[in-house]
Amino acid sequence: MELDGLKYLVVGAGFYGAVVAERIAEVLGKRVLVIDKRKHIGGNSYSEIDSRTGVEVHNYGSHIFHSKDVRVWEYLNLFCKFNNYRHRVLTKHLDEVYSMPMNLMTINKFYEKRFTPGEAKEFVESEIKKFHIDHPANFEEKGISLIGKPLYEAFIKGYSTKQWQKNLTELPESIINRLPVRYSYNDRYFSDPYEGIPIDGYGTLFENLLGHKNIETELGVDYFDIKDKIPKDCVVIYSGPIDRYFEYQYGQLGWRTLRFESEALDIDDFQGTTVMNYADESTPFTRIHEFKHYHPEREFNPKTTIFREFSQFAKKGEDPYYPIGSDSDKLTYQKYLAASKNEKNVIFGGRLGGYVYLDMDQVVTMALNHFKTKIQSF
Ligand code: UDP
């Protein structure tokens, strides 16, 4: 690994780092070194074949690419083709299976009715009115004000308590905005015009992004081990945790992490769908992923891999997934943000660098924007 004369160093080979590196290599025609602490590229989006079953698994849980942004879609299509997968989620509550996000099928099955869209809306609104929440101040109030208490308690309360392990009145209401409620039979999880899974997997997409002749990738390298050897005029694009960069001087930012129990089964199909949520608190995991269903275009052996997903607080050194974003986290982040503005030649980005929950497409948008505004114009 040659650091002498290096002008661009990218820390982190996830979407943010890989896209910025590709742009530097292709548009600026400059040599760029990408390092990652992990032994693989792709960050949490990485996928690889499970040798036990031949099924491609998403090592860090299901990743479904979806976007509204045609620029991002066209850009990624330069590096991979996407299949036509459309995400649909089911949820188990008291041994019955329902459709998520809540839609007319969910509401009718739950209340054992045959409501039309208008009737369902009227009925749910009457449930909502029972609680008079005009200005929801937290996650729980927001949930009840969107769907009424019975649906909230069946499908949101138990799942979110397992996911966040917090009193739901202490969670920000913004989290629930990710889940729409529909008064139609539309059961698509996402409403974006572009959606799919890379046909050859995320691993190959990242290999293609980083495959440019001007890019050198070194895995298993910790930035903090080489920091002192980096030339002073080298631009560092840092997508690791921002609190780690500043040696936790203002304290640690709160993250939740996920733990997966992987199982290879000698059966063709375990659950008949990619993701089954478990809404009740009595089941310890939040959901089960069955990855072969992400690739209906592939042929498989009569074997399958499933991941049971458990959510827990991220201790130092554990993989961060979801920023908790409590009031004290927000204050701490502001201090790191102010400190980052004084770092000459360092650009912070991505989910970890910005302490923000972002979907994959939003990270690509951020990377393309940062390249234009912060790197190309340097
Ligand atoms: N959620 C829920 N019940 C579900 C699915 C999601 O209560 O069956 C809540 C939960 O609090 C979760 C949030 O909605 O954190 C956002 O869900 P999403 O599926 O977007 O989470 P992700 O797939 O990003 O983990």
Side-chain angles (χ1 to χ4, degrees):
M1 184 172 56
E2 186 54 64
L3 295 176
D4 276 355
L6 186 68
K7 291 282 184 288
Y8 295 98
L9 172 69
V10 170
V11 182
F15 264 112
Y16 181 81
V19 169
V20 170
E22 188 283 331
R23 290 290 80 190
I24 293 170
E26 173 65 19
V27 180
L28 302 185
K30 294 277 167 52
R31 172 181 166 237
V32 48
L33 173 64
V34 179
I35 57 168
D36 201 298
K37 209 167 87 167
R38 289 178 177 163
K39 289 281 196 303
H40 64 74
I41 54 178
N44 279 10
S45 310
Y46 186 61
S47 68
E48 66 184 359
I49 303 286
D50 178 353
S51 58
R52 300 170 300 179
T53 59
V55 171
E56 178 137 15
V57 298
H58 300 179
N59 302 44
Y60 301 87
S62 287
H63 278 69
I64 302 99
F65 191 85
H66 59 97
S67 183
K68 288 183 183 40
D69 190 339
V70 66
R71 188 177 58 133
V72 168
W73 183 249
E74 286 178 354
Y75 172 75
L76 288 181
N77 271 274
L78 299 173
F79 304 95
C80 74
K81 291 283 159 268
F82 287 89
N83 69 9
N84 289 322
Y85 177 77
R86 299 289 174 264
H87 197 42
R88 292 184 164 81
V89 173
L90 298 169
T91 188
K92 236 181 211 177
H93 166 58
L94 300 178
D95 270 341
E96 285 282 349
V97 174
Y98 299 85
S99 170
M100 280 302 269
M102 273 169 255
N103 60 64
L104 201 47
M105 189 69 93
T106 322
I107 296 166
N108 274 336
K109 183 162 181 184
F110 183 74
Y111 285 108
E112 295 180 359
K113 299 285 186 202
R114 306 279 182 278
F115 288 136
T116 64
E119 288 165 352
K121 194 155 195 273
E122 211 174 289
F123 177 82
V124 172
E125 273 166 8
S126 70
E127 285 293 320
I128 294 168
K129 280 206 191 97
K130 289 184 185 164
F131 292 90
H132 309 285
I133 303 172
D134 292 332
H135 302 289
N138 59 52
F139 182 94
E140 175 150 311
E141 289 183 6
K142 179 80 184 188
I144 295 172
S145 74
L146 277 175
I147 48 169
K149 206 165 186 175
L151 286 168
Y152 170 79
E153 290 194 334
F155 299 114
I156 306 292
K157 195 174 179 181
Y159 185 96
S160 298
T161 302
K162 288 190 288 187
Q163 170 81 3
W164 296 96
Q165 288 170 329
K166 254 190 173 233
N167 189 330
L168 300 181
T169 54
E170 289 167 31
L171 275 184
E173 47 134 348
S174 56
I175 291 175
I176 215 165
N177 291 337
R178 293 172 59 80
L179 270 189
V181 182
R182 302 206 188 99
Y183 294 100
S184 73
Y185 288 112
N186 176 6
D187 61 351
R188 292 265 305 270
Y189 206 70
F190 303 115
S191 338
D192 291 341
Y194 308 107
E195 183 174 347
I197 306 290
I199 279 207
D200 296 321
Y202 286 95
T204 305
L205 164 59
F206 280 96
E207 277 166 24
N208 294 343
L209 276 167
L210 295 168
H212 198 286
K213 64 175 179 6
N214 294 338
I215 302 178
E216 187 189 330
T217 305
E218 292 279 349
L219 298 174
V221 176
D222 190 333
Y223 170 66
F224 299 96
D225 293 339
I226 62 160
K227 197 171 180 236
D228 297 338
K229 299 188 199 113
I230 297 163
K232 291 281 164 284
D233 62 344
C234 176
V235 177
V236 176
I237 295 100
Y238 177 86
S239 66
I242 191 165
D243 52 356
R244 170 75 184 91
Y245 182 92
F246 292 104
E247 292 168 0
Y248 305 107
Q249 59 176 290
Y250 303 120
Q252 226 184 306
L253 291 165
W255 289 89
R256 294 201 63 75
T257 190
L258 299 178
R259 179 174 69 79
F260 297 99
E261 281 178 7
S262 163
E263 200 178 345
L265 300 166
D266 279 327
I267 53 169
D268 187 34
D269 198 347
F270 173 75
Q271 62 182 16
T273 192
T274 47
V275 178
M276 179 73 74
N277 288 354
Y278 284 77
D280 303 329
E281 251 190 287
S282 51
T283 310
F285 44 85
T286 47
R287 48 190 173 185
I288 297 182
H289 309 257
E290 186 173 15
F291 297 99
K292 70 191 308 186
H293 298 295
Y294 282 117
H295 288 283
E297 76 284 359
R298 289 189 189 176
E299 284 195 17
F300 292 104
N301 301 321
K303 292 179 181 210
T304 192
T305 306
I306 59 166
F307 278 16
R308 288 186 180 80
E309 177 177 316
F310 300 80
S311 169
Q312 58 199 43
F313 183 78
K315 295 196 225 74
K316 222 182 216 172
E318 288 182 337
D319 294 332
Y321 279 71
Y322 301 97
I324 295 174
S326 65
D327 290 342
S328 85
D329 284 328
K330 283 182 195 147
L331 283 176
T332 308
Y333 175 65
Q334 287 309 320
K335 292 183 191 160
Y336 286 122
L337 183 64
S340 72
K341 303 233 159 90
N342 297 327
E343 285 298 288
K344 297 268 171 297
N345 284 5
V346 185
I347 295 159
F348 293 82
R351 201 167 44 95
L352 307 181
Y355 190 58
V356 57
Y357 187 88
L358 295 170
D359 288 333
M360 293 179 281
D361 67 315
Q362 296 171 310
V363 176
V364 176
T365 303
M366 183 196 263
L368 293 174
N369 289 345
H370 281 190
F371 171 72
K372 268 211 172 124
T373 57
K374 301 183 182 213
I375 299 170
Q376 210 170 10
S377 58
F378 223 75

